């Protein structure tokens, strides 16, 4: 019930409002007593995992072969840019360490090598993330443009990748 969900003030009320939906199973572990604080980053991560696991499952059901690889590449770029922005923001705003950030991100669909992800996560601060980013497959694109906000360049990288994929695709599903 969307109206009940909009009026919810506690996690118990949220759980009650989403009863019967697949989200209930995702959010039930986060039900806390009234005196405890909710871990919003963990809740966001759980919902994001549910979303992208569902997308991954739908991709596997709907596509195969080259079509699957093309669609997966678009999703990988999208998720990599989300990861870059989140790592940068969590380091810059909260001074989060690698373990905290790993819990918040989704790495099941990524085009980046593990060593690149680890170098981003192990950077001491947000500026270190930007330096480490130069050694990833996306580094040249980040160097090519100036930006005020990391989201701006991440959207630009994603746009350029998708434009390239669309221009050179022989498959209309991309």
């Amino acid at each position: 019930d969307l109206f009940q969900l909009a009026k919810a003030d506690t996690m118990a009320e949220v759980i009650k409002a989403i009863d019967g939906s697949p989200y209930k199973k995702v959010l039930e572990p986060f039900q806390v007593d009234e005196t405890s604080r909710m871990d919003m980053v963990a809740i966001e991560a759980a919902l994001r995992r549910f979303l992208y696991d569902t997308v991954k499952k739908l991709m596997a059901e709907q596509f195969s072969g080259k079509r699957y690889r093309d669609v997966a590449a678009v999703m990988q770029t999208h998720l990599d840019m989300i990861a870059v922005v989140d790592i940068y923001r969590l380091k810059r705003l909260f001074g989060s360490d690698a373990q905290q950030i790993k819990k918040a991100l989704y790495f099941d669909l990524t085009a980046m090598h593990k060593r690149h992800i680890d170098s981003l996560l192990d950077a001491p601060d947000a500026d270190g993330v930007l330096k480490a980013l130069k050694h990833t497959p996306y580094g040249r694109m980040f160097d090519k443009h100036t930006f005020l906000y990391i989201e701006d360049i991440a959207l630009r990288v994603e746009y350029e990748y998708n434009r390239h994929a669309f221009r050179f695709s022989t498959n209309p599903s991309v």
Side-chain angles (χ1 to χ4, degrees):
D1 182 11
L2 192 55
F3 292 110
Q4 188 180 1
L5 184 59
K7 293 177 187 176
D9 290 325
T10 65
M11 187 54 100
E13 291 173 359
V14 169
I15 300 293
K16 185 178 177 190
I18 62 173
D19 191 33
S21 78
Y23 301 105
K24 182 178 180 181
K25 192 183 283 186
V26 176
L27 294 178
E28 271 183 327
F30 299 102
Q31 206 165 353
V32 294
D33 61 22
E34 298 298 320
T35 60
S36 300
R37 295 191 66 191
M38 287 189 286
D39 186 354
M40 298 306 284
V41 173
I43 291 170
E44 180 186 0
L47 288 168
R48 191 180 282 176
R49 260 185 218 94
F50 176 76
L51 169 67
Y52 291 120
D53 283 343
T54 303
V55 167
K56 198 165 101 173
K57 186 177 97 179
L58 289 171
M59 285 170 35
E61 289 172 4
Q62 299 293 321
F63 304 104
S64 63
K66 183 167 175 13
R67 283 184 178 184
Y68 177 84
R69 288 189 301 277
D70 290 345
V71 173
V74 169
M75 282 304 300
Q76 287 171 335
T77 303
H78 174 69
L79 291 171
D80 286 346
M81 290 304 101
I82 288 173
V84 166
V85 168
D86 286 354
I87 291 168
Y88 179 84
R89 287 284 178 209
L90 288 168
K91 292 253 184 210
R92 182 165 202 94
L93 299 175
F94 303 109
S96 299
D97 64 18
Q99 293 300 49
Q100 291 171 313
I101 296 171
K102 273 184 186 178
K103 291 182 207 171
L105 298 179
Y106 184 87
F107 291 115
D108 288 5
L109 280 172
T110 183
M112 283 196 283
H113 193 278
K114 185 178 176 348
R115 74 174 182 274
H116 293 138
I117 293 169
D118 289 342
S119 70
L120 294 175
L121 290 170
D122 293 336
D125 55 19
D127 292 331
V129 171
L130 294 178
K131 287 176 187 162
L133 191 58
K134 292 179 183 193
H135 303 289
T136 70
Y138 303 110
R140 276 184 295 161
M141 291 185 207
F142 272 78
D143 278 347
K144 195 164 60 170
H145 303 287
T146 58
F147 58 92
L148 289 175
Y149 301 103
I150 189 97
E151 292 87 352
D152 297 340
I153 191 66
L155 287 171
R156 184 71 187 183
V157 167
E158 199 172 337
Y159 165 78
E160 287 182 8
Y161 176 82
N162 290 335
R163 183 181 67 184
H164 177 80
F166 182 73
R167 269 194 187 153
F168 295 100
S169 176
T170 58
N171 185 344
S173 66
V174 172

